[in-house]
């Protein structure tokens, strides 16, 4: 039976791979934070849940925008590092920490508690992504917002194509069995998640691709890309097809209708 993936034992690897010298983490944060800024969420302080908040980058950024944040993270190891990052950023008063998974959080918290929920790079690590998302939405107020970023199955298929892994494609082995390091157990194509939105009483406000081309670039070319140019180009392609639908991650900003 497939289980949710928790990152205990993988924190150092995750931090180095996503937020080390490689700009992948910077691109990720740039696109989603830019999307959120366009929604003018800082017009009044809000109470926001950062579910599966990892090392705390989004929680810290939201706190700097004037919001109060609950960072819920099932990995004890990651939460320790998040706490240190929050202390270094001087945001201990604005951010609460809770070592808990989504399912237990839903049981412990009052319904319709949060003004907004951030769920970034979490769906792909859940055994039952749609069911867990539906549970999580019970904590969101009517007209509250959801920032949902998830790993794109098409990006994995493209990497298999470029890498010549045709056997995996023929066998439709898109998901990891949980023993492949940082390979997602539940990659999802964009149209699958788009189809969930009306069923979950969510209205799609904006849709961006995150890392539309960087992950596909030749390694020697990546090393020569100036960061400012890279961020500007990724932003310019993030809402244009077909690049958006091939991006490594998909970012949906949604409003809860009921």
């Amino acid at each position: 039976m497939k289980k949710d993936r928790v990152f205990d034992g993988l924190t150092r690897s995750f931090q180095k791979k996503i937020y080390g010298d490689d700009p992948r983490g910077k691109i990720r944060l740039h696109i989603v934070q830019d999307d959120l800024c366009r929604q003018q969420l800082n017009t009044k302080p809000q109470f926001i849940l950062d579910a599966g908040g990892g090392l705390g980058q989004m929680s810290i950024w939201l706190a700097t925008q004037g919001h109060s944040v609950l960072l819920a993270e099932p990995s004890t190891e990651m939460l320790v590092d998040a706490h240190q990052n929050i202390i270094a950023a001087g945001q201990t008063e604005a951010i609460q920490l809770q070592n808990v998974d989504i399912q237990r959080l839903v049981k412990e918290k009052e319904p319709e508690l949060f003004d907004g929920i951030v769920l970034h790079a979490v769906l792909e690590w859940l055994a039952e992504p749609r069911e867990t998302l539906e549970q999580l939405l019970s904590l969101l107020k009517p007209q509250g917002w959801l920032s949902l970023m998830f790993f794109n199955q098409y990006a994995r298929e493209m990497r298999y194509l470029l890498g010549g892994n045709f056997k995996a494609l023929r066998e439709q082995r898109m998901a990891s069995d949980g023993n492949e390091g940082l390979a997602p157990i539940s990659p999802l194509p964009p149209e699958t998640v788009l189809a969930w939105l009306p069923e979950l009483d969510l209205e799609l406000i904006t849709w961006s691709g995150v890392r539309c081309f960087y992950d596909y670039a030749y390694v020697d070319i990546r090393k020569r890309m100036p960061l400012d140019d890279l961020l500007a180009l990724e932003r310019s392609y993030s809402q244009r097809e077909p690049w958006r639908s091939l991006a490594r991650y998909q970012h949906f900003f949604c409003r809860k209708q009921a």
Side-chain angles (χ1 to χ4, degrees), residues 184-245:
I185 64 172
S186 297
L188 294 159
E191 65 267 23
T192 295
V193 183
L194 284 170
W196 295 350
L197 301 185
E199 300 169 0
L200 298 173
D201 291 319
L202 291 171
E203 177 189 4
L204 180 65
I205 306 299
T206 63
W207 171 14
S208 295
V210 179
R211 303 211 311 258
C212 293
F213 66 85
Y214 179 80
D215 289 40
Y216 301 122
Y218 296 116
V219 174
D220 59 332
I221 298 297
R222 288 188 199 179
K223 293 177 181 178
R224 300 203 300 267
M225 290 179 177
L227 181 60
D228 287 347
D229 292 346
L230 179 57
L231 295 179
L233 281 168
E234 284 283 357
R235 174 79 270 182
S236 71
Y237 281 97
S238 66
Q239 294 181 355
R240 295 167 56 189
E241 294 294 351
W243 299 280
R244 175 173 67 180
S245 290

Side-chain angles (χ1 to χ4, degrees), residues 122-243:
V122 175
L123 275 188
E124 59 266 26
W125 304 107
L126 300 175
E128 299 180 330
R130 188 200 180 284
E131 293 80 357
T132 307
L133 176 58
E134 184 172 10
Q135 294 171 29
L136 183 65
L137 289 172
S138 68
L139 302 181
L140 185 61
K141 294 177 180 178
Q143 300 303 310
W145 54 268
L146 170 70
S147 177
L148 177 66
M149 184 180 73
F150 60 93
F151 183 90
N152 182 6
Q153 178 182 309
Y154 293 153
R156 168 161 277 200
E157 292 184 46
M158 180 63 81
R159 289 302 293 266
Y160 283 170
L161 287 166
L162 295 175
N165 192 353
F166 304 141
K167 186 174 187 290
L169 287 166
R170 286 194 298 269
E171 296 173 356
Q172 285 295 293
R173 286 190 282 108
M174 297 300 115
S176 162
D177 62 4
N179 296 312
E180 299 176 39
L182 296 174
I185 64 172
S186 297
L188 294 159
E191 65 267 23
T192 295
V193 183
L194 284 170
W196 295 350
L197 301 185
E199 300 169 0
L200 298 173
D201 291 319
L202 291 171
E203 177 189 4
L204 180 65
I205 306 299
T206 63
W207 171 14
S208 295
V210 179
R211 303 211 311 258
C212 293
F213 66 85
Y214 179 80
D215 289 40
Y216 301 122
Y218 296 116
V219 174
D220 59 332
I221 298 297
R222 288 188 199 179
K223 293 177 181 178
R224 300 203 300 267
M225 290 179 177
L227 181 60
D228 287 347
D229 292 346
L230 179 57
L231 295 179
L233 281 168
E234 284 283 357
R235 174 79 270 182
S236 71
Y237 281 97
S238 66
Q239 294 181 355
R240 295 167 56 189
E241 294 294 351
W243 299 280

Side-chain angles (χ1 to χ4, degrees), residues 41-62:
L41 301 177
N42 59 352
T43 54
K44 63 176 182 178
Q46 299 186 25
F47 187 28
I48 299 170
L49 170 63
D50 188 2
L55 299 172
Q57 287 92 345
M58 280 302 299
S59 290
I60 291 168
W61 180 79
L62 289 163

Side-chain angles (χ1 to χ4, degrees), residues 79-92:
L79 208 61
V80 169
D81 280 20
H83 187 215
Q84 294 302 315
N85 292 336
I86 290 164
I87 292 171
Q91 296 295 337
T92 54

Side-chain angles (χ1 to χ4, degrees), residues 31-81:
I31 298 296
V32 298
Q33 289 173 0
D34 192 39
D35 282 352
L36 292 177
C37 284
R38 292 170 187 231
Q39 301 304 317
Q40 299 182 335
L41 301 177
N42 59 352
T43 54
K44 63 176 182 178
Q46 299 186 25
F47 187 28
I48 299 170
L49 170 63
D50 188 2
L55 299 172
Q57 287 92 345
M58 280 302 299
S59 290
I60 291 168
W61 180 79
L62 289 163
T64 65
Q65 305 300 300
H67 304 301
S68 298
V69 184
L70 173 61
L71 192 168
E73 170 55 51
S75 167
T76 304
E77 188 178 275
M78 279 205 151
L79 208 61
V80 169
D81 280 20

